[in-house]
Amino acid sequence: MTPTKPNKVMSLYKKVTSYPFGKHIFSKMVARMAPYFGTVHPYISDLKVNRCECLVKKRKKVQNHIGTVHVIAICNGLEMAMGTMAEASIPAHLRWIPKGMSVDYTAKAGTDILCVAEVTPEQWQVGDMLVDVKAYDTNGVVVVQGHIKLWISEKPKKQS
């Protein structure tokens, strides 16, 4: 993949988001691919190669007993940001699968939450890869941070 030729996911994002409500449509499309993501009604607010931002609104359905956004809902948003970023960024000869997630809860999540997943281009190598993930409240305070571990491998060669 070169910067001038985006992959299918990035091409779809650019096409769909050129229309009114395009980011909402794209977000719903991604959530349908992995239906569990839909439980937090995620919104992909920005997608670039190697970076994705996903908004999880503070709603009753995602709150815990103390009225803050439940950390599992935040992790769901972080995983959606990571998966969308990975699909839009991975070099064409590679594939990925998640192996684990490690997060720290650093502050109460009392507002809408912006989930961000980001890597550098050099990280796309065969083997374990750590994707940095952070969740921010509307004041810019990090409420959850950590990483999602991916296993990166070569795509099998197509046989003729």
Side-chain angles (χ1 to χ4, degrees), residues 12-142:
L12 178 65
Y13 176 77
K14 288 181 179 184
K15 181 178 180 178
V16 172
T17 58
S18 69
Y19 297 108
F21 305 104
K23 288 183 180 181
H24 284 285
I25 295 166
F26 182 79
S27 298
K28 289 199 178 292
M29 291 169 75
V30 173
R32 287 187 63 130
M33 288 182 218
Y36 187 72
F37 289 148
T39 63
V40 297
H41 298 284
Y43 175 77
I44 302 293
S45 57
D46 192 35
L47 178 61
K48 295 180 177 77
V49 174
N50 299 319
R51 182 181 170 86
C52 182
E53 296 181 3
C54 176
L55 182 67
V56 175
K57 291 256 188 198
K58 182 183 177 193
R59 299 175 357 271
K60 188 71 174 163
K61 286 185 175 184
V62 297
Q63 290 181 32
N64 57 23
H65 65 288
I66 61 172
T68 60
V69 179
H70 197 288
V71 73
I72 298 304
I74 295 171
C75 287
N76 198 351
L78 290 170
E79 190 174 2
M80 181 164 169
M82 178 282 303
T84 306
M85 178 279 302
E87 284 297 312
S89 307
I90 193 164
H93 68 288
L94 298 175
R95 61 187 180 175
W96 65 274
I97 189 165
K99 286 180 68 175
M101 175 185 260
S102 175
V103 294
D104 293 317
Y105 315 157
T106 55
K108 286 185 180 180
T111 68
D112 295 346
I113 302 297
L114 183 67
C115 300
V116 179
E118 188 168 25
V119 296
T120 63
E122 300 77 34
Q123 286 181 264
W124 293 109
Q125 308 265 339
V126 171
D128 283 339
M129 176 176 154
L130 297 179
V131 177
D132 288 328
V133 292
K134 287 187 177 153
Y136 300 87
D137 68 11
T138 57
N139 298 313
V141 174
V142 175

Side-chain angles (χ1 to χ4, degrees), residues 4-15:
T4 57
K5 186 173 190 310
N7 71 14
K8 289 179 185 177
V9 172
M10 188 57 77
S11 294
L12 178 65
Y13 176 77
K14 288 181 179 184
K15 181 178 180 178

